[in-house]
Amino acid sequence: MYILETLGAFILAIGILVLIHESGHFWVAKFMGVKVLKFSIGFGPALISRRWGRDHTEYVIAALPLGGYVKMLGEQAGEEIPPEDRTRTFDALAPGKRFLIALAGPLANLLFAVIAYAGVAWIGIPGLAPIIGLVNEHSLAAQAQLQPGQRITALNGQKVYTWEDLRTGLLAAAIARVPVQLQTSDQGEVTTHTLPLQSLKADSVGPDFLGKVIGMEPYLPATVGAVEPKSPAAAAGLAAGDRIISINHHPVPSWESLARQIESRPDKVVELTYRTASGISKTVRIKPQMFLDKTGKPIGRIGIVMAPLPRDLIVMRHRGPVEGLIYGLHSTWQMSWMTLEMILRMVQGFVSPDNISGPIAIAEYAGQSAQAGVAPFLSFLALVSISLGILNLLPIPILDGGHLVFYTLEMLRGKPLSPAVVQKAQQIGIVLLLMLMSFAFYNDIMRLMTP
């Protein structure tokens, strides 16, 4: 059932984003007077096909949902043009108008992101409170004297409302290679901490950046939500509502700390102290069962599940109509700039290419966000829409950005490039895209194999 839901969310998301993108090309082409022959969502055999309008445009939903296209009269060389339609062909337009048609698709994606982010602001999206739960020894966070229990309130002067705000801000600063000033509050005491992100090593910005590079995790209470039958935890008498206090006399500040301590001790007896829901403190000896993770490394488990987050750790912020629209504009600009900067830093070697995600990862995120609710799914759509828009603006032949380069050169030269040059450039573009897609699939597969 989960696989079907994930697949359905993925197809819905891709369908919406392709529809937005191709609609940009479609409506600007129609405005320019070009005759549109086909509007297709997907590739391959048609599942649904209908003809509408004065031009009898064919509207298609095809079998392969990974993309789409708008077919305009006069796009293909050697195409037979009816005499009455010779003024309505794509190639009859001035290069400036063709430029606008090519640009309309990516711009439609960016405009949709503004609206989607505004919708998220209006609806409100629950977020995790930006409270530190774990700081790794010898990490950047430890060097900055960040400690578990501190609540992060500001990043470089900007208010931090949720853990996602913090993650996005730190990621943007790391990509831009600028230092970060974090302001924290702990029992009324306000402190400033400096993270020298400008001195990060090359290739350090990758998946799980916050945990692996910065060295901190959010606060998730180490409270038991459920106990698996016949597990070590069940045998030791643990029950839902118990709060884990320490392991081998080492404090357990959060669920992440608990998980790491248990996982690091497979088949080793540990002394676990906890407090029951009624407030009684107990100490038991428990031996974590040994399991092998996806890499074959032995890890320990005791058979407990984390309890739902308490209300005071969930932050919900609603914005009004104008403030929400401003949020949509700001978020789209911020994510677009960060995406461009990430691409540049990736080429320079400062950002790990492991950040490139393929269809498998996108499908997984689509399923997770759809299950989380309307606002998280809108946020996911906005992010992918920005990525799609920016990717299509890259000056790679066969993408919209490549066509923009061709039309710009035509305007500067006063004549189009020769068909042979365009064909060779498009062949190079196809090879580059295939390489990128292959690498994205490789990253997806490696993520599935890595715990």
Side-chain angles (χ1 to χ4, degrees):
M1 180 61 77
Y2 173 75
I3 294 177
L4 291 177
E5 290 177 353
T6 298
L7 184 60
F10 173 69
I11 292 174
L12 176 62
I14 295 300
I16 291 172
L17 298 179
V18 170
L19 175 64
I20 296 296
H21 182 91
E22 299 303 334
S23 292
H25 294 310
F26 176 83
W27 287 112
V28 175
K30 295 282 281 186
F31 180 79
M32 298 292 182
V34 178
K35 183 175 182 178
V36 178
L37 303 177
K38 181 184 286 190
F39 183 109
S40 178
I41 304 300
F43 300 104
L47 300 178
I48 301 174
S49 177
R50 295 289 185 274
R51 290 187 181 273
W52 281 304
R54 178 173 63 92
D55 294 332
H56 300 286
T57 303
E58 184 182 10
Y59 297 88
V60 176
I61 297 178
L64 300 176
L66 298 177
Y69 61 94
V70 172
K71 183 179 179 182
M72 292 171 277
L73 185 66
E75 275 190 296
Q76 304 296 326
E79 185 178 348
E80 184 177 347
I81 310 295
E84 65 273 15
D85 289 331
R86 284 175 184 168
T87 60
R88 303 188 61 203
T89 62
F90 178 76
D91 60 356
L93 292 176
K97 292 184 176 181
R98 281 180 271 140
F99 184 99
L100 292 176
I101 293 174
L103 183 63
L107 288 185
N109 283 122
L110 297 179
L111 178 60
F112 172 78
V114 172
I115 296 170
Y117 274 132
V120 169
W122 295 328
I123 296 171
I125 184 170
L128 183 62
I131 300 173
I132 301 173
L134 177 69
V135 175
N136 295 330
E137 293 182 1
H138 312 299
S139 64
L140 286 176
Q143 293 169 22
Q145 298 184 335
L146 290 165
Q147 298 176 6
Q150 292 178 325
R151 187 184 189 109
I152 298 173
T153 57
L155 186 154
N156 285 347
Q158 297 292 321
K159 286 186 178 181
V160 172
Y161 295 96
T162 66
W163 191 264
E164 181 61 22
D165 291 342
L166 173 66
R167 189 192 71 82
T168 301
L170 288 174
L171 187 60
I175 293 170
R177 303 186 68 78
V178 297
V180 163
Q181 297 284 333
L182 289 180
Q183 193 175 76
T184 63
S185 175
D186 187 9
Q187 297 180 350
E189 182 179 350
V190 178
T191 312
T192 300
H193 312 261
T194 302
L195 294 173
L197 301 188
Q198 75 279 10
S199 58
L200 285 177
K201 295 180 180 178
D203 201 33
S204 58
V205 181
D208 194 19
F209 166 76
L210 211 55
K212 292 181 179 179
V213 179
I214 302 299
M216 63 181 180
E217 303 286 350
Y219 173 63
L220 303 172
T223 304
V224 179
V227 178
E228 297 176 4
K230 301 180 181 180
S231 65
L238 288 171
D242 292 342
R243 177 74 174 268
I244 311 301
I245 305 300
S246 66
I247 294 178
N248 289 345
H249 306 290
H250 294 290
V252 174
S254 69
W255 183 269
E256 182 69 23
S257 173
L258 169 65
R260 291 192 183 186
Q261 293 192 53
I262 293 296
E263 288 177 355
S264 66
R265 294 179 172 89
D267 274 343
K268 295 180 181 178
V269 177
V270 298
E271 189 174 279
L272 187 147
T273 301
Y274 65 97
R275 185 178 294 113
T276 66
S278 57
I280 300 173
S281 294
K282 295 184 178 181
T283 299
V284 295
R285 294 174 64 82
I286 189 168
K287 184 178 181 181
Q289 287 180 309
M290 186 182 74
F291 291 85
L292 298 179
D293 65 16
K294 294 177 182 178
T295 63
K297 177 184 175 182
I299 59 173
R301 289 180 182 169
I302 60 174
I304 57 176
V305 178
M306 187 179 75
L309 290 175
R311 289 182 179 273
D312 60 351
L313 286 182
I314 300 175
V315 179
M316 177 73 82
R317 187 183 179 204
H318 299 275
R319 294 172 173 86
V322 176
E323 189 184 5
L325 188 58
I326 293 172
Y327 172 83
L329 288 165
H330 173 75
S331 298
T332 301
W333 168 256
Q334 181 186 40
M335 295 307 299
S336 298
W337 181 255
M338 192 166 76
T339 301
L340 282 171
E341 201 164 20
M342 179 175 284
I343 293 171
L344 176 61
R345 297 298 187 187
M346 202 175 294
V347 173
Q348 294 175 334
F350 290 117
V351 173
S352 172
D354 293 344
N355 288 283
I356 299 174
S357 297
I360 298 174
I362 294 173
E364 186 177 1
Y365 298 146
Q368 292 172 353
S369 62
Q371 287 184 334
V374 175
F377 189 60
L378 274 178
S379 184
F380 164 78
L381 286 177
L383 182 59
V384 179
S385 191
I386 289 170
S387 299
L388 182 61
I390 298 298
L391 176 64
N392 270 281
L393 285 174
L394 295 179
I396 298 175
I398 209 173
L399 294 179
D400 293 329
H403 292 297
L404 294 178
V405 172
F406 293 154
Y407 303 145
T408 300
L409 290 174
E410 183 177 346
M411 285 186 281
L412 294 174
R413 297 172 74 240
K415 60 180 180 178
L417 297 173
S418 68
V421 171
V422 173
Q423 183 180 20
K424 182 63 68 176
Q426 289 180 337
Q427 289 172 348
I428 295 173
I430 290 172
V431 171
L432 290 174
L433 279 182
L434 287 176
M435 291 173 61
L436 181 63
M437 290 175 61
S438 298
F439 189 76
F441 270 113
Y442 169 79
N443 278 350
D444 283 355
I445 294 170
M446 291 306 296
R447 287 189 189 100
L448 291 175
M449 296 176 62
T450 303

